[in-house]
Amino acid sequence: MDRILVVDDDVLILAALSRILQAEGYDVVTHSDPAVAAREVGFQVVLTDFMMPYLNGIELLGALREKNPKAVRLMLTAAADFRTASEAVNRGEVFRLLGKPWSLSDLTSSVRQAFDHYRLVDANERLSREVAEKNAELVAINRDLERRVVERTAGLLDGLISALDYRDTETQWHSRRVSLYSRRLAEEVGLSGGALDVVEQGALLHDIGKIGVRDSILLKPGPLTPDEWVEMRKHPEFGYRMLAKMPYLHEAALIVLQHQERWDGKGYPQNLAGEDIVLGARIFCLADTVDAITSDRPYRKGRPMSVARDEIRRCAGTQFDPALAEAFLGIPETEWQRIRQDVEALEAAESERWNSDPLGPPAPLAKASGA
């Protein structure tokens, strides 16, 4: 029920106000002593006289405000006191000022509007709290969704790489090495956050299009014929088409499409040159060469990192973005060695897991010709 506190040192006026407001359906609490009234709590509206002993109306409202900050304040004042009382309105302490003698319609209308104002403010605060709570829930839901997308994306990438690995057993660990090499070089040139993830994803999936290349070409032990090279060189486009329709892999798909392009425009499939090649593909091109030189091949052993560094230096400005080549050469060799060792440890753990699997490890296929 709507509750109003009424304070006036004139008991006759107090009784009249009480009768009027009770007739309007309000729960009315009255006090003729403002010092006692100052201890009241639990009301929505207060109506007080201005001139009273011990505490005037402004002082009383100030005292009540400490314990009842949301209560709407009304004040009665005689015409002679109007200027002084108006200061209360100007300071924002009083919702409305009523003159003595009052008109019945003005009094009841003002009290009704005071209660309406209280309810509006209370509803606004409640809704604001609910909105804040819902926003917090929404943030938590979005954070959980982002986490699930990351987990599912990681699972999808692992699944795609595993699918290719069944056909080309060299691909998985080569892809993981170049993805981490690419991420480290991307960090060196100032990429961060999601941009780093895109570079790593694109490098990890760079050869995924080889799933679309016929086994007779992909697994051919000898050199490819010119016609076979035409099909092999379609694997960037095959990979792009596989990934581009997945919104969270669209940027990585561009790296897959352009990973065989060269700074001087002599790559494929689009003969792009310079900065027309996306940064992630330019980074990958360098990381891929480093891994190719330092990794074992069927026809030779892996060579030292110093050989790779010399090759990067020699081909800066032709095969490689010269700024990226300079950034690569500024990174200590020990960092590349650490990344390789981390992947080797992962490979050993994976091998142990396969060996303990009841079905055993997958049967190795012939080495791929590569492209």
Side-chain angles (χ1 to χ4, degrees), residues 293-305:
I293 292 172
T294 58
S295 298
D296 291 343
R297 289 290 185 262
Y299 47 86
R300 63 157 175 82
K301 296 289 289 182
R303 288 171 286 181
M305 180 59 71

Side-chain angles (χ1 to χ4, degrees), residues 82-99:
F82 192 86
R83 177 177 295 180
T84 303
S86 67
E87 294 178 11
V89 177
N90 293 334
R91 291 201 299 267
E93 295 176 353
V94 175
F95 176 70
R96 183 154 301 170
L97 197 61
L98 299 170

Side-chain angles (χ1 to χ4, degrees), residues 45 72 74 95 109-119:
V45 176
V72 182
L74 301 173
F95 176 70
S109 173
S110 296
V111 171
R112 184 167 57 252
Q113 290 173 20
F115 277 105
D116 289 343
H117 180 76
Y118 178 90
R119 282 189 285 270

Side-chain angles (χ1 to χ4, degrees), residues 194-195 198-199 201-202 240 243-244 246-256 278:
V198 167
V199 171
Q201 289 167 357
Y240 174 77
L243 303 176
M246 304 178 194
Y248 49 88
L249 290 178
H250 179 72
E251 291 180 84
L254 290 174
I255 298 174
V256 172
V278 295

Side-chain angles (χ1 to χ4, degrees), residues 136-273:
E137 289 179 19
L138 209 57
V139 168
I141 290 170
N142 286 337
R143 188 181 298 117
D144 185 54
L145 286 174
E146 289 173 3
R147 178 184 59 77
R148 293 187 183 191
V149 167
V150 169
E151 289 175 354
R152 290 176 181 177
T153 299
L156 173 62
L157 300 189
D158 285 341
L160 289 172
I161 293 300
S162 295
L164 181 57
D165 191 42
Y166 278 117
R167 302 188 67 210
D168 177 3
T169 53
E170 278 189 356
T171 298
Q172 179 178 13
W173 304 112
H174 160 69
S175 295
R176 293 188 187 280
R177 286 193 300 271
V178 294
S179 70
L180 296 177
Y181 288 162
S182 296
R183 185 181 184 97
R184 177 62 187 88
L185 183 53
E187 288 176 342
E188 189 70 14
V189 296
L191 298 190
S192 61
L196 284 177
D197 295 335
V198 167
V199 171
E200 183 175 352
Q201 289 167 357
L204 184 64
L205 293 169
H206 72 279
D207 270 343
I208 195 64
K210 288 183 178 179
I211 289 176
V213 177
R214 286 178 295 160
D215 284 353
S216 61
I217 295 174
L218 182 66
L219 305 176
K220 185 175 180 179
L224 299 181
T225 68
D227 287 343
E228 289 170 337
W229 269 112
V230 169
E231 182 171 342
M232 178 64 84
R233 288 186 174 188
K234 290 180 179 178
H235 78 271
E237 296 171 81
F238 293 159
Y240 174 77
R241 289 170 185 162
M242 289 175 62
L243 303 176
K245 293 182 180 180
M246 304 178 194
Y248 49 88
L249 290 178
H250 179 72
E251 291 180 84
L254 290 174
I255 298 174
V256 172
L257 176 63
Q258 299 177 15
H259 79 273
Q260 290 288 355
E261 303 287 358
R262 290 170 45 123
W263 181 258
D264 60 9
K266 295 181 180 179
Y268 65 88
Q270 297 172 296
N271 302 118
L272 300 176

